[in-house]
Amino acid sequence: MSQARHTKVLIIGSGPTGYTAGVYASRAMLEPILVQGIEPGGQLTTTTEVENWPGDSEVQGPDLMIRMEAHAKAMGTEVINDIIIDLDVSERPFKAQGDSGTSYTCDAVILATGARAKWLGLPSEEKFKGFGVSACATCDGFFYRGQEIVVVGGGNTAVEEALFLTKFASKVTLIHRRDELRAERILIDRLMKNKKISPMWFHELDEVYGTEMPLGVEGIKVKHTETGQITDIPCKGLFVAIGHAPSNELVKDVLETHMGGYVVTKPDSTETSIPGVFAAGDLTDHKYRQAVTSAGMGCMAALEAERWLSEQS
Ligand code: FAD
Ligand code: NAP
């Protein structure tokens, strides 16, 4: 049933940014509404061990996000399971349309929509998505017990995914387009010591192939970046881990973006070019993209929203 809700502060997104904004906005007595989106808890729900969240030398990503949600709720944030499909910030109060049919109006909005996995864009990758091609090892790794798997990428995500997949796979090949990983040193050391993982440098994915009925991956072809030579790698699963792009769909036509779609904010601030619209976390951050920096920006956004709202009244 459609309903209309008004709030002083609407927080869009339920990752570390959104929940931290919820904690601070609640403590400022702003009674925020937080809309979770399609991925309640955000990107950390797609990983296992998180070892760099201060206060926890090791915590499971999904558990951490359950705790953050509980914290935001305990402080007074109303958490709603809905997806914002349209946002109008041309006049105040701002208007947001929920997929559930609920219409939200708000005096200030905090955009915390984060980022999502990038894909290579090959037709064969698209064809086998969900049928052997995945971007989430924790979601799909279990299906590949005793099988050979390939991971594409050279950042923290690719290395973590490769390490995680060794729990299931008989062999993991890591394909990277250079011979240097951009992952953290500690992760690279673990990767190099793991006998189940074979790195393959200077290679890019050329094609995924497999069976039609049922649809399933049987292998991939990779191309040497310098010689162009094609190599065939039989495998049952392909995990694409080539980075993340900001989820800017709601505002990309009204707010300035840069560096591949990240929303531009004022220096040392979460303020955007539209007064009352604040943006934080991975949606704005092309540089650090960490849970702790996102949480920090969520805090900044709530404090700035609170100050801005007091100035208006
Ligand atoms: P996200 O976590 O991306 O959350 C975005 C939220 O916005 C989601 O809840 C989504 O549902 C919501 N949303 C999007 N669109 C809409 C919409 N239209 N309506 C409503 N809601 C919407 N960082 C670390 O510090 N340590 C780690 O160990 C670590 N491990 C990682 C492992 C993996 C596999 C990945 C992918 C990332 C990892 N990161 C890690 C990075 C970290 O997850 C991100 O920096 C952090 O989650 C960003 O937080 P965020 O709240 O800005 O966005
Ligand atoms: P990333 O750091 O941007 O790395 C993406 C990797 O994919 C790079 O190695 C890149 O190669 C490669 N790549 C990009 N486009 C490609 C293409 N078209 N073809 C082939 N390879 C391609 O992304 P990420 O690993 O997803 O990490 C995103 C953010 O989350 C980072 O800030 C990271 O620190 C954070 N994160 C943190 C942790 C942790 O703290 N433990 C875990 C996961 C993620 P090049 O190197 O050649 O550019």
Side-chain angles (χ1 to χ4, degrees):
M1 203 180 68
S2 64
Q3 46 168 324
R5 299 290 312 274
H6 181 78
T7 175
K8 292 186 197 96
V9 179
L10 180 68
I11 301 167
I12 307 179
S14 58
T17 309
Y19 285 141
T20 308
V23 168
Y24 277 80
S26 298
R27 286 169 55 81
M29 311 304 276
L30 294 173
E31 300 171 338
I33 287 179
L34 182 153
V35 178
Q36 288 182 305
I38 201 162
E39 191 174 55
Q43 291 171 65
L44 282 189
T45 61
T46 69
T47 190
T48 50
E49 290 91 7
V50 175
E51 297 177 347
N52 49 16
W53 179 256
D56 287 307
S57 53
E58 186 180 312
V59 57
Q60 296 292 307
D63 292 344
L64 178 60
M65 296 320 299
I66 287 169
R67 278 167 38 196
M68 283 197 205
E69 178 179 349
H71 189 173
K73 282 180 175 167
M75 292 295 122
T77 306
E78 185 179 353
V79 175
I80 297 181
N81 189 244
D82 198 356
I83 301 167
I84 301 301
I85 52 172
D86 189 47
L87 179 66
D88 179 0
V89 287
S90 60
E91 57 179 2
R92 293 203 292 268
F94 304 132
K95 296 180 194 66
Q97 182 56 48
D99 192 42
S100 64
T102 301
S103 307
Y104 304 85
T105 52
C106 58
D107 303 321
V109 61
I110 295 177
L111 304 168
T113 50
R116 58 166 186 280
K118 279 197 227 168
W119 295 94
L120 289 159
L122 298 172
S124 58
E125 171 195 57
E126 185 61 34
K127 175 176 170 179
F128 289 102
K129 248 186 221 173
F131 298 90
V133 173
S134 168
C136 178
T138 45
C139 319
D140 301 328
F142 186 71
F143 299 120
Y144 301 97
R145 277 163 294 162
Q147 313 276 11
E148 297 197 8
I149 298 178
V150 175
V151 175
V152 184
N156 276 334
T157 302
V159 174
E160 281 194 345
E161 304 252 285
L163 288 164
F164 177 76
L165 286 165
T166 59
K167 292 183 190 193
F168 312 100
S170 56
K171 180 183 175 192
V172 177
T173 306
L174 181 81
I175 305 287
H176 185 37
R177 61 184 176 184
R178 299 188 287 136
D179 65 347
E180 197 184 334
L181 297 165
R182 67 169 69 226
E184 286 169 39
R185 198 67 251 167
I186 188 170
L187 293 175
I188 297 175
D189 287 350
R190 285 181 202 162
L191 180 100
M192 292 307 181
K193 283 185 192 142
N194 195 310
K195 294 195 167 45
K196 275 193 178 177
I197 303 177
S198 306
M200 197 169 178
W201 309 121
F202 295 116
H203 279 84
E204 283 179 329
L205 184 68
D206 194 53
E207 191 192 351
V208 187
Y209 64 86
T211 51
E212 291 294 329
M213 296 237 291
L215 205 55
V217 171
E218 290 294 322
I220 61 169
K221 291 187 193 303
V222 293
K223 187 155 81 177
H224 196 283
T225 53
E226 285 164 4
T227 64
Q229 190 183 336
I230 300 284
T231 305
D232 188 290
I233 309 177
C235 62
K236 294 289 183 189
L238 172 73
F239 288 82
V240 179
I242 58 161
H244 286 76
S247 302
N248 63 13
E249 291 75 9
L250 292 174
V251 289
K252 66 179 185 330
D253 296 330
V254 288
L255 292 178
E256 189 189 343
T257 61
H258 66 164
M259 313 286 289
Y262 292 89
V263 168
V264 175
T265 52
K266 294 186 180 161
D268 303 323
S269 166
T270 62
E271 285 173 33
T272 67
S273 52
I274 301 180
V277 178
F278 302 87
D282 274 18
L283 173 66
T284 64
D285 177 15
H286 57 88
K287 194 170 176 190
Y288 303 107
R289 296 174 296 171
Q290 301 294 304
V292 67
T293 45
S294 302
M297 285 186 249
C299 156
M300 288 166 62
L303 294 177
E304 289 181 319
E306 198 257 327
R307 278 171 207 158
W308 182 81
L309 284 167
S310 341
E311 281 162 23
Q312 304 312 301
S313 57

